[in-house]
Amino acid sequence: MTNAVRGVIARAKGEPVEVTTILVPDPGPGEALVTVQACGVCHTDLHYREGGISDDFPFLLGHEAAGVVEAVGPGVTGVAPGDFVILNWRAVCGQCRACKRGRPWYCFATHNAHQKMTLEDGTVLSPALGIGAFVEKTLVADGQCTKVDPAVPPEVAGLLGCGVMAGIGAAINTGAVTRGDSVAVIGCGGVGDAAIAGSYLAGAHTIIAVDVDPQKLEWARQFGATHVINSREADPVTEIQALTGGNGADVVIEAVGRPDTYRQAFYARDLAGTLVQVGVPTPDMHIDLPLIDLFGRGGALKSSWYGDCLPERDFPMLTGLYLQGRLPLEKFVSEIIEPDDVEAAFTKMQTGEVLRSVVKL
Ligand SMILES: NC(=O)c1ccc[n+]([C@@H]2O[C@H](COP(=O)([O-])OP(=O)(O)OC[C@H]3O[C@@H](n4cnc5c(N)ncnc54)[C@H](O)[C@@H]3O)[C@@H](O)[C@H]2O)c1
Ligand SMILES: [Zn+2]
Ligand SMILES: [Zn+2]
């Protein structure tokens, strides 16, 4: 059977998104059909719309979602109809080179289930990050469904499916932030604030938030920032050094995805400190750094893909912390919107009015 449902697509580069009918087949072997309850609007959806990720238009947008498994295909044992799940874009396969080398957080196994969703005229949709969840029902690989406690509201749980996990994981997993560390986070959107929340959970002593928007800096304090810097008004490198005894931060997390902020992150580190790049640049961006500074400053320059998370390990742990009142996930939700409002949510994201707009389906 094919399910005809409403969903949000990006038909062509730079054009406003539209709500249209999507045809979603019933699950085949290894697949699950999920009724999506809520899906956050992530900057990566906008990157797709802008053609910054690939040219495989049309895209079925949305990838930060939670919902209930409606049906599973043959051979699926990990999840069952009725399970409350967060969708993930890293279904650890156990078979690929990364998995077999014991580095499952680098697993990039391809999941083809979702490439079966189409428009009414048969045009195959490319689902954002292999998920596609601004839609009433979506088809994913069974491993993309991570079961969590249904006591967590879907609009909160879904955020762990991308941005919030990416930020927390950038701090805790990739940056290995630990008690007593000094951390600076450049760019305090949903991802950056999650990196702040993760640093706070890990026991960082000094957490410096950097943004160009005073409202964002105000919000950053709610997640644990001990100091804030408006980098339109002051040089963030000098200020971060001043706040860390002249040294620079142990870990600097870049959550914007631009050469100028990467450069700031590079120089704001303590000697042999760690830079974690979580912001996604566009293909035209370049950076020029003196090689002597790369050598002389040492340390680690890392990228964080999805916070180096393992969904089965990290999602239940983080929903557990939320239920204990130790991780204020609800503070990321600025507004609840309809699928028709996604285009407006992109504008609000760009003007800095929201941390996360969450679509209720
Ligand atoms: N690596 C991953 O796995 C992963 C996952 C999700 C999102 N991302 C990326 O993380 C980045 C942030 O995502 P988001 O959803 O938080 O976006 P967002 O638009 O909500 O936040 C970006 C923030 O950066 C600030 N900013 C812009 N220019 C700045 C500058 N020059 N200096 C300091 N701050 C500046 C903005 O004011 C805003 O607060 C995006 O590039 C997104 O694609 C990466
Ligand atoms: Zn794998
Ligand atoms: Zn995302």
Side-chain angles (χ1 to χ4, degrees), residues 43-44 47 162 166 189-191 211 216 255-256 261 278 280 304 306 356:
H43 208 121
T44 303
H47 284 323
C162 183
V191 174
D211 205 291
K216 291 296 179 65
V256 187
T261 45
V278 57
V280 180
S304 185
Y306 206 179
R356 273 297 185 268

Side-chain angles (χ1 to χ4, degrees), residues 26-27 31-35 68-73 76 79-82 138-139:
D26 274 345
E31 297 171 356
L33 181 69
V34 176
T35 300
V68 175
V69 175
E70 186 172 314
V72 296
V76 173
V79 283
T138 191
L139 185 67

Side-chain angles (χ1 to χ4, degrees), residues 42-44 63-64 89 129 162-163 356:
C42 173
H43 208 121
T44 303
H63 59 273
E64 218 177 65
W89 45 275
L129 289 170
C162 183
R356 273 297 185 268

Side-chain angles (χ1 to χ4, degrees), residues 181-188 192-193 196 200 204-211 214 216-231 236 239-245 249:
D181 276 356
S182 55
V183 180
V185 177
I186 303 179
C188 302
D193 278 349
I196 290 171
Y200 179 80
H205 175 261
T206 303
I207 305 174
I208 305 164
V210 181
D211 205 291
K216 291 296 179 65
L217 293 172
E218 210 39 58
W219 287 337
R221 288 188 191 275
Q222 298 180 18
F223 294 98
T226 56
H227 304 81
V228 301
I229 299 169
N230 185 329
S231 54
E239 296 290 315
I240 291 168
Q241 285 166 341
L243 290 166
T244 51

